[in-house]
Amino acid sequence: MKKIFLIAGICFTSHVCLAQLTTTLVVVPQPPGTLINWGTKELTYIISNQAGSVIRNFIVKAELKESNGTVVATTNLAKARVRTIGPATLILYAADVIPLEVMVFTGRHKTSLERTGKLPAGNYELCLQLVTPIDFLPFSEVRCRNFTLAAFQLPIPMMPANEQVLDAEKAQTSVMFRWTPVAPRPSELVKYIVTVFEILDRQTPMQALRSNQPLLTKEIIGTTQYIWQPQLSFAKTKVWADDIQADSLYSKEDKAVMDSVDVTTFIWTIQTVDSRGVPFGDGNVNSDGISEPNTFTVIRDRRKIKTGPPATILYLNSMKNRRN
Amino acid sequence: MKNKTILITTLAVMVCTDIVAQETATKKPPFSISGTAGVSYEYYGLSKKPKGWTGFSPRKPWNQVRFNFSPQMQFGKNFSLPFNFNFAMKPTNYAGPYSGITKQSFGQFITNPMNSFGLNPKYKWAELQLGTQYLNYSELSTGDIGVFGAGFDLRPGTYSIKFFTGLSQQGVNFFTGPPATNGAYKRSNWMFSLGKAKEEKYEVAINFVKAKDDSTSASPPPLLIKPQEGFTMSLVSKVFFNKGWYVKMEGAQSIYTKNLLLPLDVTKASFKPFIEAHTSTVKDFAGDAAIGKKGKNLDIGLKLKYIGAGFQTPGYLFMLPDRFDYTLNTRFNAWKNKTGGYKMNVVASAGQRVNNVSNTTLKAKQFIGNLNWFTQFNDHLSLNVSFNNFGFQAPGGINPYGIKNVSNDFGVNPTYTWGNDKVIHLLSLNYNYSKYDERDVITGLVTSNNTHTALLTYVPTFLTKDLSPDFSLMYFRNSMPGFTLKLITFSAGLGWSAAKKKMNFRAQAQYNYSKTNSFSNNNNIIASLNNDWKVSKKLTWTTFISTNQFKYGNEIVPNNARYLESNIRTGFQYKFGK
């Protein structure tokens, strides 16, 4: 009798062992808040089926919770994709285990996701488990991982301020660039690439940024300041005389002021990349880690008699009088 | 390339035709022509020593030819035909959809942002917009992006009806390189505006902007970017009152799909038939408002701007979302002089920007303040004082300390002039002190970065001669713990006129000494020559030649490395009309 129980026990154990799949879940500690940006780097779920095991169908059940245990999202099992695993190892990524189309979000998280594509910043726990199709019975252990979502914001170019006017005498020696850091500070080291483009005559600033070769591309790590020694003789790139566009935008007096100075305008920005050189940016629409740029102008006073306000002020006032 | 040749030939023929037309225009007053056409060539050279040293990269294309053709023809009183053709022969795209492209198809050449081919025939209040157009509808809808296509701008009476459609970028295949090409999806754009405006009274308009990527247009597709679709509608209004007072407001709603490859989602906000939501679609709003007064001697204004965290518009590609900022700006003149003018001019602004508005715990605050105060005490002495400040503060989050960066710049610039009826001397001293504090979020230690800049300028103006020399000496010192940078620059320039003032030369030479910490110094010499030559009443030939010799000390390896840059720009501009 004892033998019969022993054999039955062995059979049951081996059946359970066959049914159990080994799973491993890896989530980076600080993934981006924009869930659709989660790719192969952010989340990996490895499922191992022992050699000789039968082919199994399964669904990945996911549950996302806040650190206080409040459920943020769960998988709609009825809509979830049924997957199959044979005697092998299967690797799944974010798009496979938490596809947005089958995840049901609740409360403020749902609102935030619909409005911004991001979950609110905070600490979260993601738990995954394999369940059977139809009756949704679990047949793997629950794997959970904690992570922190921080809504990173790209740097903001600060100095020279947008549309600032600099004297050529000073700018020919140095131009100081300052910007805000990525906020909050990410756990990995980021590199800032300061880029400066000359805006040629008849170009808009955005045209220059998107089409010109940069005069400066400098990688900066660990600080948010760079002193550029341009080593340039600023060529007069803004030609106002005979410009129909300038005629329609400026008064005769303001155009005369502009004709009496040599103007070279630049657009500058910060590109942020991670330690592997991959553009950084959570939800950055162009996926290039490029911040909203600023322009600045270098002017050289060409007035025969230089009296009254400095040319920089005259130029700035003329620009402000521009007809919209 | 063949297409480009045809295009250039066509333009050349058009230029000739226009010149002939202009010759006969004097006999036919109903026709007039203005504007310019020109061609310029730029050469860039770089040689480095020792050979194989990779420390300095070229900053410009080796050879570049640029054309511009911008005449405006006026037929009678009511019909005008302005051209705006500007294009370059060699693509140099670094950022954006054409980044890294070397060989471009004709379609890519036409829509490359470095080239514009626009034609805007206008009859009375009806304008046809053809080719490349950079249309600015409003600050929250569209204004940044160039689109190649067709549309119109109609202004019957006080109404305005605008529509434009076309391509803002062609599909570009991803290529690992070298040189690497990021790739891009072909993007179609549509924009429409309906408004009513009365000059100097009011303006009101409703704008619609849409862009959609063709997800099949790049093969292999870009690695980092997904095909997108965006739709934005905005209501903008401006009211102008007496004495220069004004109020401007705009509210905008955007629906943006970040990845068209993800499935459609009926639970998300759509705006059919313009946009159908996918699982990656977000919907958010933005708004801005301004109130102020604009006058001859006083400007004052308050500006507010809110951009929601999910707000995205196809018309402004780099708009930073999730922020609220407000700024108070003013400019005024004071202290009347004997001639009725003013001795004092003040320009100031102060404001705050809140970033990460959608996050209650991670809001970052940024303070900005600027002041520029100019005073002309008498005929000889003037003083300019400036102060700029910005501070950025963000909570620590997972770090022990929050971010805190504070920048303060103070500048003072007295200028003294004296002279007689032959020469006027100008002596100007410009001193600037700049302090930048950055806090380390792990240790809490603050690093202070201090910069002193002093610039002395002397300009003698010879009233009876055509020579205009100028001299300047600058000292710059930047220091922070463990780092000191010193720069000394001496610069001398000379301008002169020749050939009955038809030729205006300017030569400049500059020596720069720089020294970092205890390394031996670097030496830099820059020389340049400019010439604007009015060959005839209508033709100008401009030339710019510069050279830059830089020699390192032992600051970098290999020691004593050096490079020589040379740059030549030369171009002709032809002025149409009288």
Side-chain angles (χ1 to χ4, degrees):
Chain A
M1 194 62 188
K2 276 182 185 173
K3 270 187 183 176
I4 293 168
F5 278 118
L6 190 64
I7 291 165
I10 291 167
C11 288
F12 178 75
T13 311
S14 48
H15 176 75
V16 170
C17 285
L18 275 175
Q20 280 285 358
L21 301 175
T22 314
T23 57
T24 310
L25 173 64
V26 181
V27 181
V28 293
Q30 271 190 353
T34 309
L35 288 184
I36 62 154
N37 284 0
W38 285 30
T40 54
K41 189 186 84 171
E42 284 75 18
L43 187 153
T44 314
Y45 188 47
I46 304 165
I47 308 161
S48 297
N49 196 0
Q50 292 157 357
S53 299
V54 290
I55 293 171
R56 300 293 304 259
N57 290 333
F58 68 90
I59 288 171
V60 180
K61 181 186 171 188
E63 192 172 60
L64 186 63
K65 289 182 277 190
E66 283 188 289
S67 54
N68 60 11
T70 310
V71 175
V72 170
T74 49
T75 307
N76 180 345
L77 296 173
K79 279 175 72 181
R81 181 179 160 188
V82 177
R83 294 174 183 277
T84 305
I85 186 167
T89 298
L90 184 65
I91 301 173
L92 301 177
Y93 300 106
D96 307 312
V97 298
I98 49 165
L100 289 181
E101 60 272 22
V102 297
M103 295 299 291
V104 181
F105 288 85
T106 57
R108 69 186 181 102
H109 297 89
K110 184 173 188 254
T111 313
S112 172
L113 206 64
E114 284 176 353
R115 207 163 66 84
T116 68
K118 296 176 184 179
L119 286 177
N123 297 312
Y124 290 88
E125 184 185 53
L126 176 68
C127 295
L128 299 181
Q129 188 178 29
L130 303 180
V131 297
T132 56
I134 305 167
D135 49 5
F136 312 131
L137 292 174
F139 67 97
S140 78
E141 283 184 32
V142 180
R143 296 280 174 213
C144 295
R145 286 291 175 268
N146 294 317
F147 60 89
T148 304
L149 283 186
F152 295 111
Q153 201 150 31
L154 287 176
I156 301 162
M158 294 301 302
M159 192 178 154
N162 198 25
E163 297 181 354
Q164 191 171 341
V165 181
L166 308 175
D167 274 321
E169 283 77 16
K170 270 187 182 177
Q172 67 193 4
T173 301
S174 67
V175 179
M176 181 100 73
F177 292 104
R178 285 177 188 157
W179 58 94
T180 65
V182 169
R185 191 178 115 151
S187 56
E188 65 171 332
L189 203 60
V190 293
K191 258 191 281 190
Y192 300 112
I193 305 174
V194 189
T195 46
V196 181
F197 303 82
E198 185 178 354
I199 304 171
L200 301 170
D201 195 33
R202 296 181 173 84
Q203 269 189 338
T204 68
M206 202 47 68
Q207 257 184 299
L209 177 79
R210 300 177 85 211
S211 61
N212 292 357
Q213 185 169 338
L215 285 170
L216 172 74
T217 46
K218 182 74 184 174
E219 285 187 8
I220 305 290
I221 300 171
T223 186
T224 51
Q225 173 176 291
Y226 176 63
I227 299 162
W228 182 37
Q229 294 167 249
Q231 298 165 44
L232 290 172
S233 298
F234 297 107
K236 180 181 179 175
T237 50
K238 209 43 132 186
V239 184
W240 298 101
D242 313 323
D243 192 322
I244 302 169
Q245 212 186 358
D247 281 344
S248 64
L249 290 174
Y250 303 100
S251 69
K252 208 174 175 182
E253 294 78 29
D254 289 329
K255 207 166 143 289
V257 168
M258 291 175 174
D259 280 333
S260 68
V261 292
D262 281 1
V263 177
T264 316
T265 308
F266 300 89
I267 183 165
W268 77 282
T269 188
I270 301 292
Q271 185 178 24
T272 310
V273 296
D274 64 19
S275 49
R276 294 165 300 142
V278 176
F280 185 90
D282 188 3
N284 173 224
V285 64
N286 304 304
S287 297
D288 50 13
I290 293 181
S291 297
E292 189 171 341
N294 274 1
T295 60
F296 67 96
T297 298
V298 174
I299 72 164
R300 192 182 290 281
D301 194 350
R302 284 273 170 270
R303 289 175 298 166
K304 174 89 177 167
I305 300 169
K306 298 173 179 61
T307 54
T312 46
I313 294 182
L314 294 173
Y315 177 79
L316 210 57
N317 287 341
S318 299
M319 289 296 282
K320 282 193 175 170
N321 290 337
R322 181 185 159 126
R323 297 176 200 125
N324 289 317
Chain B
M1 199 63 210
K2 193 182 170 188
N3 288 325
K4 282 184 204 169
T5 315
I6 293 167
L7 188 73
I8 292 158
T9 314
T10 313
L11 283 177
V13 171
M14 286 164 88
V15 172
C16 298
T17 317
D18 285 327
I19 292 166
V20 173
Q22 180 268 329
E23 293 294 334
T24 53
T26 48
K27 293 172 191 168
K28 292 179 182 174
F31 173 77
S32 65
I33 186 167
S34 56
T36 55
V39 59
S40 70
Y41 166 74
E42 181 165 12
Y43 162 82
Y44 176 79
L46 174 68
S47 66
K48 297 188 277 188
K49 277 184 183 173
K51 244 185 175 179
W53 172 54
T54 54
F56 187 82
S57 304
R59 303 197 277 181
K60 295 183 177 204
W62 304 118
N63 294 286
Q64 182 66 285
V65 180
R66 298 184 179 91
F67 296 90
N68 78 279
F69 180 71
S70 318
Q72 175 162 338
M73 288 179 242
Q74 185 75 38
F75 299 87
K77 195 179 158 190
N78 295 322
F79 184 68
S80 65
L81 183 61
F83 288 76
N84 179 28
F85 284 18
N86 296 290
F87 54 97
M89 299 315 293
K90 190 180 282 185
T92 53
N93 310 73
Y94 172 83
Y98 296 89
S99 164
I101 198 165
T102 47
K103 283 184 181 175
Q104 42 186 357
S105 65
F106 184 69
Q108 288 164 343
F109 172 76
I110 289 282
T111 53
N112 190 322
M114 79 187 309
N115 303 321
S116 293
F117 301 93
L119 190 61
N120 293 44
K122 188 175 179 184
Y123 181 75
K124 287 187 177 175
W125 45 260
E127 181 184 335
L128 199 58
Q129 296 168 327
L130 303 168
T132 316
Q133 305 287 333
Y134 282 81
L135 301 172
N136 190 328
Y137 280 14
S138 70
E139 283 191 23
L140 298 175
S141 58
T142 189
D144 244 2
I145 188 84
V147 180
F148 184 87
F152 54 79
D153 183 342
L154 311 177
R155 310 276 174 114
T158 56
Y159 293 92
S160 71
I161 307 157
K162 304 177 199 173
F163 174 75
F164 196 81
T165 183
L167 292 177
S168 60
Q169 63 194 47
Q170 289 281 355
V172 181
N173 298 337
F174 168 75
F175 179 54
T176 48
T181 311
N182 293 343
Y185 292 102
K186 183 162 100 178
R187 179 167 292 186
S188 303
N189 295 59
W190 297 264
M191 50 193 84
F192 175 73
S193 173
L194 187 63
K196 189 168 163 59
K198 198 170 179 184
E199 204 173 341
E200 294 180 1
K201 290 285 177 194
Y202 67 86
E203 283 176 43
V204 60
I206 184 161
N207 305 313
F208 299 90
V209 176
K210 178 185 157 115
K212 189 175 185 180
D213 287 345
D214 176 356
S215 52
T216 60
S217 57
S219 177
L223 275 192
L224 296 171
I225 199 153
K226 305 289 181 214
Q228 303 167 3
E229 182 178 15
F231 178 77
T232 302
M233 50 191 156
S234 87
L235 179 66
V236 58
S237 59
K238 296 176 188 174
V239 186
F240 303 96
F241 301 98
N242 289 338
K243 295 181 180 174
W245 286 94
Y246 63 86
V247 177
K248 298 174 184 177
M249 277 188 282
E250 183 172 12
Q253 170 89 70
S254 79
I255 301 174
Y256 206 94
T257 300
K258 294 169 182 241
N259 185 353
L260 277 171
L261 300 174
L262 291 177
L264 290 166
D265 189 340
V266 288
T267 66
K268 293 215 166 184
S270 292
F271 194 74
K272 288 178 186 174
F274 301 107
I275 187 164
E276 203 170 355
H278 291 241
T279 50
S280 63
T281 300
V282 292
K283 179 183 171 186
D284 210 343
F285 69 96
D288 66 16
I291 182 166
K293 182 185 185 324
K294 217 171 184 181
K296 198 178 171 191
N297 293 309
L298 172 69
D299 287 355
I300 187 160
L302 174 69
K303 269 187 181 178
L304 306 163
K305 189 178 240 182
Y306 168 76
I307 311 285
F311 185 83
Q312 254 168 252
T313 174
Y316 289 97
L317 292 176
F318 293 96
M319 185 184 277
L320 179 77
D322 208 4
R323 72 180 211 235
F324 171 64
D325 52 56
Y326 55 91
T327 328
L328 182 67
N329 297 293
T330 186
R331 179 189 66 89
F332 62 88
N333 296 325
W335 195 6
K336 272 194 173 179
N337 61 20
K338 288 173 200 168
T339 58
Y342 288 88
K343 292 181 174 183
M344 198 179 278
N345 174 277
V346 179
V347 181
S349 67
Q352 188 186 44
R353 176 188 269 194
V354 183
N355 303 307
N356 255 338
V357 186
S358 62
N359 281 282
T360 46
T361 52
L362 290 173
K363 276 191 177 74
K365 287 183 179 174
Q366 197 179 319
F367 300 90
I368 304 161
N370 299 299
L371 170 74
N372 197 90
W373 186 338
F374 171 79
T375 310
Q376 180 80 51
F377 290 100
N378 52 44
D379 289 346
H380 301 292
L381 182 67
S382 67
L383 180 69
N384 194 66
V385 178
S386 64
F387 176 71
N388 299 298
N389 160 275
F390 82 80
F392 181 78
Q393 219 169 337
I398 56 163
N399 302 308
Y401 297 90
I403 297 168
K404 191 178 178 187
N405 291 7
V406 181
S407 166
N408 280 299
D409 282 83
F410 172 75
V412 58
N413 175 205
T415 301
Y416 190 76
T417 52
W418 74 99
N420 50 40
D421 53 2
K422 285 185 178 170
V423 60
I424 297 172
H425 305 273
L426 181 146
L427 192 65
S428 174
L429 176 68
N430 194 328
Y431 171 74
N432 191 271
Y433 172 62
S434 175
K435 184 175 165 66
Y436 187 45
D437 293 338
E438 285 181 282
R439 178 163 70 187
D440 188 289
V441 295
I442 307 297
T443 62
L445 292 173
V446 176
T447 307
S448 216
N449 196 314
N450 295 294
T451 308
H452 299 268
T453 311
L455 171 72
L456 185 67
T457 310
Y458 170 64
V459 184
T461 305
F462 298 101
L463 300 172
T464 53
K465 292 177 185 172
D466 287 329
L467 293 176
S468 319
D470 59 81
F471 307 92
S472 68
L473 180 67
M474 182 166 154
Y475 174 75
F476 174 98
R477 187 177 190 274
N478 174 257
S479 61
M480 57 188 283
F483 177 85
T484 305
L485 170 69
K486 281 181 207 165
L487 304 172
I488 297 169
T489 304
F490 175 71
S491 172
L494 181 67
W496 74 96
S497 303
K500 294 179 184 172
K501 295 192 176 178
K502 284 181 179 172
M503 292 174 93
N504 288 303
F505 290 95
R506 180 177 160 75
Q508 198 192 353
Q510 180 185 320
Y511 167 72
N512 181 265
Y513 165 99
S514 59
K515 186 172 166 62
T516 307
N517 293 345
S518 57
F519 294 110
S520 60
N521 61 290
N522 308 323
N523 291 298
N524 177 215
I525 294 171
I526 299 171
S528 67
L529 179 70
N530 262 324
N531 180 28
D532 289 352
W533 180 13
K534 285 208 165 188
V535 180
S536 72
K537 207 176 165 188
K538 293 176 182 297
L539 187 68
T540 310
W541 179 14
T542 55
T543 306
F544 169 77
I545 302 168
S546 80
T547 179
N548 170 32
Q549 164 85 48
F550 195 97
K551 183 173 179 265
Y552 285 96
N554 59 1
E555 178 186 324
I556 62 156
V557 177
N559 291 348
N560 302 314
R562 63 177 71 187
Y563 57 82
L564 176 71
E565 272 187 306
S566 41
N567 186 209
I568 299 171
R569 280 182 189 184
T570 186
F572 293 93
Q573 280 292 317
Y574 181 82
K575 182 185 167 191
F576 295 105
K578 289 176 185 174

